[in-house]
Amino acid sequence: MFRRLPDARSGLVSLTIDGAACVGRRGDSVAALLLETGHAACRKSAVSGEPRGPYCMMGVCFECLVEIDGVANRQACLVQIAEGMKVTTGTGRREVTP
Amino acid sequence: MNRLSGVGELPSTCDLAIVGAGPAGLAAAAAAAERGLEVLLLDENPAPGGQIYRGLADSPAARRELLGKDYQRGDALLSGVQASRISWLPGASVWMASSDLEIGVSKDAVSHIFSARHILLATGALERPFPIPGWTLPGVMTAGAAQGLLKSSGLVPEGRFVLAGTGPLLWLLAYQLIAAKAPPLAILDTTLPTMRAGVMAALPSFLGSPYLLKGLRLMRKVRSEMRVIGGVSELRAVGEGRLRGVAYRTRSGQAETIDVDGLFLHQGVAPNINMANAAGCDMRWDEVQLCWKPVTDDWGRSSVPGISVAGDGAGISGAEAAACLGRLCGLDAATRLGRITETEREKLAAPTRDLLSRYARGRRFLDLMFQPPATFRRADAETIVCRCEEVTGGQIAQTVADMGAIGPNQLKSYLRCGMGPCQGRLCGLTVTEMIAVARGVPPAEVGHYRLRFPIKPVTLAEIASLPHDEGDVRAVVRE
């Protein structure tokens, strides 16, 4: 749903999204890379379970929450991609297990 | 600027702590540092510039060119802070700025609390909520989001997409996307007719605005390159689990649908007041801009001693005016902390005040001209208002009517409205206006959510890891 202009010149960064290898540009936010790689939705609403995706891209809406390197509910639009990073999408309401 | 890498490098105290490195924060930092203040600049983003100058420092030449002269104007602000001894912590999430002038900040999952002698909140603006049916569908984003992606990553929407709503940013984005050879299919324009009472009365002052010619040229170019559908009402995002189309009614009443996979909404911006609100700064409702803003004096001082507010976070005035206001706040902090006299402050501020009045000219016309229609500022019964907790317009109306909820804080108790992670940023204005309509009173009487720190999510582990003394332990441990 987004494509890169040919002007990009920053270096490449390798990481995984849901286990799949993926390459982004240094300086990109996790949310930018999600959108470039077609992840319009990145989590489930904690109330209804409906899919949600990045909305404001400036840290105010909290729609782009994903798991990054094992830490849940990170704002993907405020975290820059890094080499070897593991991004997990699709998480929703936390289950309480006895 | 001295770039800090983590909260461990923060001092235990500083003269001036500035929250936000947009035009207001940067101009304030430069002015205060020049007068010898120890300045600490905290910002959530990886690079300075705020949303307006996002990505500017590293922008490739071709991208700077297509984003235009107003974007490049940020160079002066960035170079103004380069040489000075300002400490800058990027990627920092400020979760507290208290009335006793303590700042709580988190970076890389570590928090730190320090005290400042003066605090400037330069938290900028956020896009006004646009609660239409389907606005939570993946594929629906704000126009600001699209512009941010273009600025920071050189990403442009591809496939079938439209822009919808009203306001200068919508036209600017269309213009920039044309330059990037990624024009939208159309603009669905919800702007009310210009020839209406109040708007025309404000026109004469706008004739002297620096934004007039620029705006007209830009709109003419956009109109010549794409379909602009005016007088749009009943806008809806359509799809199951994913945006598939946008439906609307034309000025003549015809129902239309366009198949799209991207919809970028915008109906103006409003001050991001969460920090100022939680700090206890008095707020007032702006009848023209239709939003809350902190009460400030001529120098940006809020009702809380030692806390100032500058830039769009103090009321929407644009990037150039924000830099002026920031500079005034920086000079005022130097006066308050005894570095310059009031007379020196007045003298140094005079040229800035002249510039500020130039940029303020005609603002009222822009505010009235692009005032979002009432139907798009409220939600119908089935439409989600609070995106986090999925509270609908119907639930809000019913709770006011049946349960006697008089303001947003009661809606928290009854519906959890505004209690999700965004803390009312995406629903607050809608909720205030909807309660006002239901009760038949002005929004000023309804009020806003009472917000509390931490205003950004922080883990319990981070809070527990903060240094604590014996008194803190006694307060929570049962003997």
Side-chain angles (χ1 to χ4, degrees), chain A residues 55, chain B residues 128-135 235 265 267 375-380 383-386 426 430 434:
Chain A
Y55 179 72
Chain B
R128 173 180 288 281
F130 205 142
I132 56 165
W135 72 312
L235 187 66
L265 297 172
Q267 53 175 353
T375 48
F376 290 125
R377 304 200 312 269
R378 298 163 205 157
D380 58 26
T383 301
I384 286 177
V385 173
C386 167
L426 273 282
T430 316
M434 288 189 68

Side-chain angles (χ1 to χ4, degrees), chain B residues 211 269 289 311-323 325 356 359-360 363 367:
Chain B
Y211 296 115
V269 295
Q289 294 190 346
D312 275 356
I316 302 307
S317 57
E320 290 82 4
L325 289 163
L356 189 57
Y359 282 107
R363 166 60 52 181
D367 292 341

Side-chain angles (χ1 to χ4, degrees), chain B residues 36-303:
Chain B
L37 296 193
E38 271 172 63
V39 178
L40 195 49
L41 184 57
L42 304 162
D43 192 84
E44 225 165 24
N45 296 288
Q51 300 307 323
I52 192 89
Y53 304 127
R54 174 181 274 271
L56 179 60
D58 295 320
S59 197
R63 198 184 304 164
R64 288 168 58 90
E65 194 56 38
L66 77 85
L67 286 166
K69 286 218 160 49
D70 283 344
Y71 180 64
Q72 298 162 28
R73 196 189 275 254
D75 287 342
L77 273 171
L78 293 180
S79 59
V81 292
Q82 244 12 286
S84 57
R85 289 185 52 245
I86 300 160
S87 295
W88 164 53
L89 184 67
S93 176
V94 177
W95 48 264
M96 176 178 78
S98 73
S99 57
D100 46 10
L101 308 189
E102 280 195 322
I103 300 260
V105 56
S106 167
K107 181 181 164 79
D108 300 332
V110 185
S111 271
H112 178 72
I113 292 182
F114 67 94
S115 66
R117 298 175 69 201
H118 195 95
I119 292 174
L120 172 63
L121 305 179
T123 50
L126 42 76
E127 281 177 269
R128 173 180 288 281
F130 205 142
I132 56 165
W135 72 312
T136 52
L137 286 170
V140 181
M141 298 177 75
T142 66
Q147 201 194 36
L149 284 160
L150 173 56
K151 286 175 179 172
S152 57
S153 296
L155 289 172
V156 290
E158 70 173 346
R160 298 177 57 85
F161 68 97
V162 296
L163 314 186
T166 184
L169 176 64
L170 206 64
W171 293 89
L172 176 60
L173 175 64
Y175 185 85
Q176 290 167 336
L177 290 175
I178 291 169
K181 300 191 171 51
L185 292 174
I187 293 183
L188 303 178
D189 188 3
T190 63
T191 311
L192 293 165
T194 309
M195 300 292 176
R196 59 191 202 273
V199 180
M200 294 321 284
L203 179 60
S205 68
F206 185 65
L207 297 178
S209 165
Y211 296 115
L212 174 67
L213 276 178
K214 223 182 284 179
L216 286 174
R217 202 168 46 228
L218 195 140
M219 288 170 89
R220 194 167 54 232
K221 168 82 174 164
V222 171
R223 283 185 187 282
S224 73
E225 299 266 337
M226 71 183 66
R227 236 171 114 204
V228 177
I229 302 162
V232 162
S233 62
E234 295 179 33
L235 187 66
R236 284 184 296 130
V238 187
E240 282 292 327
R242 175 75 174 85
L243 177 73
R244 298 288 172 214
V246 56
Y248 60 97
R249 204 169 280 283
T250 63
R251 198 192 308 272
S252 59
Q254 182 106 6
E256 300 275 1
T257 308
I258 306 177
D259 291 342
V260 293
D261 39 41
L263 167 63
F264 298 94
L265 297 172
H266 180 77
Q267 53 175 353
V269 295
N272 186 351
I273 57 159
N274 278 43
M275 189 102 54
N277 177 312
C281 300
D282 289 343
M283 296 285 157
R284 72 179 184 84
W285 178 261
D286 185 314
E287 287 290 344
V288 177
Q289 294 190 346
L290 303 170
C291 60
W292 296 104
K293 53 192 201 186
V295 177
T296 52
D297 70 7
D298 279 356
W299 297 98
R301 292 187 185 190
S302 77
S303 63

Side-chain angles (χ1 to χ4, degrees), chain A residues 13-67:
Chain A
V13 176
S14 306
L15 62 157
T16 64
I17 300 176
D18 300 326
C22 169
V23 176
R25 291 271 173 183
R26 190 165 303 285
D28 278 354
S29 68
V30 172
L33 185 60
L34 286 169
L35 291 167
E36 193 198 5
T37 52
H39 297 79
C42 65
R43 70 176 181 104
K44 294 189 191 80
S45 148
V47 179
S48 65
E50 287 291 313
R52 294 286 180 89
Y55 179 72
C56 79
M57 291 302 290
M58 55 181 276
V60 299
C61 77
F62 292 79
E63 293 287 9
C64 64
L65 302 178
V66 292
E67 186 182 305

